[in-house]
Amino acid sequence: MLATKRVLTALALTLFAHEARAADEVVVYSSRIDELIKPVFDAYTAKTGVPIKFITDKEAPLMQRIKAEGEHATADLLLTVDAGNLWQAEQMGILQPIQSSVIDANIPPQYRAAGRDWTGLSLRARTIAYSSDRVKPEQLSTYEALADSQWEGRLCLRTAKKVYNQSLTATLIETHGAPQTETILKGWVNNLSTDVFSDDIAVLQAIKAGQCDVGIVNTYYYGRLHRQDPQLPIKLFWPNQGDRGVHVNLSGIGLTRHAPHPEAAKALVEWMTGPEAQKIFADTNQEFPANPHVQPSAEVASWGSFKADTLPVEVAGKRQAEAIRLMDRAGWN
Ligand code: FE
């Protein structure tokens, strides 16, 4: 009888604690498509009772809004893509570090800010896509080799204005230095079959249409198109397997400097780096989990495994301005 009473008391306390926590909502400013994040937030609310409000916009206005709100912040967390963007947010001083042994254990250091202002949540490789009709994988080797004359008039690229290409270029500068990177970029521009495209899907469609034979795209765009068109005559190639590996970038999240609910926000981020959330989050957009203990979906795994560049992704931010200047000099629009 006494034991039952104790259990009931414990249960009541648990429920009380649960209620108390439920009062603390978390507000997320997100630049990701609603469909990609809603399943994760719904799962968290179902599990903990903590409501999550999210506001979706492009990263630049969201970052400006956080800055403008200052101490009267409404957002607890900023969720966006590309280390280049997260690094910008860090430089603007709108984030603050989260000290968490849970996050440290879940996410490898190269996918987090050294100062802990943000952490990666999912990974995407920016890799080579090629026409399986007109290109043999043996003809491919590295990003750098796409500057070779064998690809003259056969390469498609997305615009240099997109942060994804700026981040890739930043890693080239880190690896080779600016002069050699400029030569590589000039080679790419020289090999273009047509004007640059505004998005990765357009690059893939151009390869499919025979406008070009090779391009550089984020893996999940390939996944998206492949899902619509299982006969897609395009394959992914993992470059630089003999040296530094494939360029990997991420989506990530950071705690805002004046977050109104920092503890609740921290608990959410910790959960988002754990197995349950990682699975939902990565699978929804056909990305790779940033937590290496979580397996990618069967579909993503079917693209094959690869060696990824272990350069800290922060380099994308640190060298972003330099990358933009070099791309401009090389004539990459
Ligand atoms: Fe994207």
Side-chain angles (χ1 to χ4, degrees):
M1 195 60 194
L2 192 65
T4 314
K5 199 175 166 192
R6 262 193 210 135
V7 168
L8 284 173
T9 310
L11 190 68
L13 282 172
T14 309
L15 286 172
F16 180 76
H18 187 82
E19 288 252 327
R21 271 182 60 201
D24 241 2
E25 62 170 18
V26 180
V27 180
V28 184
Y29 282 5
S30 161
S31 75
R32 304 212 73 186
I33 309 168
D34 292 5
E35 296 91 85
L36 301 182
I37 52 171
K38 201 172 175 302
V40 184
F41 292 159
D42 285 350
Y44 187 71
T45 303
K47 197 184 172 80
T48 62
V50 176
I52 301 171
K53 263 206 276 189
F54 63 96
I55 289 166
T56 308
D57 202 342
K58 290 203 183 300
E59 59 272 353
L62 288 175
M63 278 152 57
Q64 283 305 331
R65 191 163 158 182
I66 294 169
K67 196 172 172 68
E69 285 175 354
E71 288 176 23
H72 308 288
T74 52
D76 294 298
L77 296 165
L78 172 70
L79 174 64
T80 188
V81 294
D82 206 288
N85 288 331
L86 290 156
W87 188 84
Q88 283 295 344
E90 191 180 341
Q91 296 309 298
M92 284 169 73
I94 60 173
L95 301 178
Q96 62 170 312
I98 302 181
Q99 303 297 344
S100 163
S101 55
V102 175
I103 298 171
D104 288 359
N106 283 341
I107 308 294
Q110 68 267 31
Y111 302 133
R112 288 187 266 121
R116 294 188 162 76
D117 271 21
W118 50 265
T119 178
L121 292 175
S122 61
L123 308 178
R124 61 281 297 283
R126 189 150 188 80
T127 196
I128 298 175
Y130 66 95
S131 158
S132 45
D133 296 332
R134 299 181 300 279
V135 176
K136 288 190 171 57
E138 304 85 70
Q139 295 173 275
L140 293 161
S141 58
T142 62
Y143 295 105
E144 292 83 347
L146 291 179
D148 293 350
S149 58
Q150 68 155 321
W151 301 110
E152 199 176 331
R154 300 174 71 188
L155 176 66
C156 275
L157 289 176
R158 183 178 186 159
T159 172
K161 293 184 183 72
K162 184 66 189 183
V163 68
Y164 300 159
N165 282 333
Q166 296 164 6
S167 294
L168 173 63
T169 302
T171 66
L172 287 173
I173 298 171
E174 182 76 14
T175 308
H176 300 295
Q180 205 186 325
T181 302
E182 191 174 338
T183 306
I184 296 162
L185 298 190
K186 280 182 173 159
W188 288 2
V189 170
N190 197 49
N191 285 342
L192 286 179
S193 73
T194 179
D195 283 346
V196 293
F197 292 91
S198 61
D199 60 77
D200 284 11
I201 290 282
V203 168
L204 290 165
Q205 270 158 347
I207 297 172
K208 185 187 170 188
Q211 222 177 339
C212 45
D213 297 335
V214 286
I216 300 175
V217 297
N218 281 1
T219 39
Y220 57 91
Y221 290 113
Y222 173 81
R224 223 175 273 177
L225 204 61
H226 192 262
R227 214 177 254 179
Q228 286 167 23
D229 178 5
Q231 305 305 318
L232 191 69
I234 299 175
K235 284 204 161 76
L236 293 176
F237 180 82
W238 308 118
N240 299 75
Q241 293 304 282
D243 48 66
R244 68 185 182 282
V246 178
H247 170 57
V248 167
N249 212 311
L250 45 78
S251 80
I253 197 161
L255 180 64
T256 66
R257 169 155 291 184
H258 301 289
H261 316 105
E263 286 307 315
K266 177 183 171 180
L268 172 61
V269 176
E270 287 180 336
W271 181 80
M272 287 181 86
T273 62
E276 189 186 349
Q278 282 284 297
K279 196 82 196 125
I280 311 170
F281 195 68
D283 288 4
T284 314
N285 193 37
Q286 292 172 279
E287 289 184 271
F288 302 90
N291 181 333
H293 307 295
V294 181
Q295 294 299 313
S297 71
E299 202 170 358
V300 170
S302 76
W303 305 337
S305 56
F306 57 88
K307 174 180 158 189
D309 193 343
T310 54
L311 213 60
V313 289
E314 265 189 327
V315 163
K318 288 184 180 151
R319 293 199 179 270
Q320 189 180 71
E322 204 179 346
I324 293 169
R325 278 198 302 276
L326 258 190
M327 293 163 104
D328 186 54
R329 262 219 302 278
W332 186 354
N333 294 318

